[in-house]
Amino acid sequence: LMAGSVNKVIIVGNIGSEPEVKTMQSGDKVANFSVATSESWKDKESGEKKERTEWHRIVVFNQGLVKVVESYLKKGAKIYLEGQLETRNYEKDGQKIYTTEVVLRPFSGEIVMLDSKKDA
């Protein structure tokens, strides 16, 4: 028997797009940006270095963290973040599009800037 379940994502990577902050009808703000994570390895056959980059769509509804995003986060910055995976769908040109995002809900999630303070 499974005692509940966990949906928690931890990402350490670099911001790939300038964060976009919009105001919703409720007056609350929402921030969107993407984060890149990269892994590299050596190809066993050729010995050449390979790299794969994964892009993660981040959506922040936590108002305290939206302020952090607005004030401090820039493209290229290295961050640690915690959120949860959520998939939603929408219509585009009559097609149903599914997108999976890392969502930081109100009163949850975490963002830590990892770049050294001396650069700020």
Side-chain angles (χ1 to χ4, degrees):
L1 183 72
M2 227 173 80
S5 59
V6 175
N7 177 353
K8 184 177 190 173
V9 179
I10 293 176
I11 291 176
V12 175
N14 293 86
I15 297 176
S17 57
E18 287 299 338
E20 249 183 66
V21 178
K22 294 188 184 119
T23 303
M24 301 181 289
Q25 283 166 326
S26 65
D28 282 346
K29 290 180 171 181
V30 59
N32 289 275
F33 56 95
S34 61
V35 171
T37 54
S38 297
E39 55 176 326
S40 53
W41 67 95
K42 220 178 195 140
D43 187 281
K44 282 191 178 73
E45 305 291 308
S46 66
E48 67 179 315
K49 199 180 159 198
K50 303 265 190 172
E51 189 172 27
R52 179 170 60 220
T53 299
E54 197 67 53
W55 289 96
H56 312 274
R57 297 167 59 90
I58 315 298
V59 185
V60 183
F61 292 105
N62 176 321
Q63 296 305 290
L65 294 179
V66 169
K67 284 195 180 75
V68 170
V69 172
E70 263 186 314
S71 306
Y72 303 108
L73 298 193
K74 299 267 179 281
K75 182 178 177 173
K78 187 163 202 173
I79 61 167
Y80 167 103
L81 69 82
E82 284 180 22
Q84 60 191 59
L85 279 186
E86 293 185 17
T87 302
R88 61 184 176 85
N89 61 67
Y90 57 93
E91 291 267 324
K92 188 179 179 183
D93 305 326
Q95 295 281 73
K96 208 173 222 191
I97 309 282
Y98 290 87
T99 180
T100 300
E101 299 161 328
V102 178
V103 180
L104 286 68
R105 290 261 160 222
F107 312 112
S108 74
E110 192 178 333
I111 295 177
V112 178
M113 293 181 295
L114 299 176
D115 291 319
S116 61
K117 286 285 173 267
K118 66 176 170 22
D119 299 338

